[in-house]
Amino acid sequence: QVQLVESGGGSVQHGGSLRLSCAVSGDTYSNYCMGWFRQAPGKEREGVAAICTTSGSVYYADSVKGRFTISQNTAKNTLYLQMNSLEPEDTAAYWCAADRITEVGLVACGPGLEDLTFGYWGQGTQVTVS
């Protein structure tokens, strides 16, 4: 059973930065698609970024491209989301999610990023930009 624990959320001013972390345990870190999702009040949950832990290939939603960076430390089984130039529109609850790349598929670990394809989720962390 895979467990995901996020940390690093908080409040920041417009233009500021935050780094979210997601510690992964319970399985080997390889051959997974790891994703970051967010949900703002009154909106549907959206995929923000994803990374294939084996190939390192990454995907970003247009809304965060150039501002957010997804990365991983395979030695620590930890996923990161560096968020720069934060805007009030980035205010949301953020989750990391995981599933085997064989379950998710390469498209869904990219342009087809969708929450329904991921079976493992962290508890979420709030990001507030004012």
Side-chain angles (χ1 to χ4, degrees), residues 3-87:
Q3 289 93 39
L4 308 175
V5 178
E6 298 107 335
S7 59
S11 297
V12 66
Q13 290 190 336
H14 188 177
S17 299
L18 284 172
R19 189 178 78 159
L20 305 183
S21 299
C22 175
V24 182
S25 62
D27 196 359
T28 57
Y29 190 69
S30 61
N31 298 318
Y32 270 80
C33 178
M34 303 293 300
W36 286 101
F37 292 81
R38 69 183 182 185
Q39 187 169 21
K43 294 187 177 182
E44 293 186 355
R45 187 155 57 183
E46 66 168 335
V48 172
I51 186 168
C52 174
T53 63
T54 303
S55 68
S57 61
V58 300
Y59 163 80
Y60 297 99
D62 288 342
S63 58
V64 305
K65 198 173 296 182
R67 299 187 299 121
F68 290 11
T69 302
I70 189 171
S71 64
Q72 58 183 358
N73 184 326
T74 55
K76 294 183 177 181
N77 285 7
T78 302
L79 177 74
Y80 303 100
L81 185 68
Q82 178 66 43
M83 304 184 294
N84 298 328
S85 302
L86 283 162
E87 304 168 350

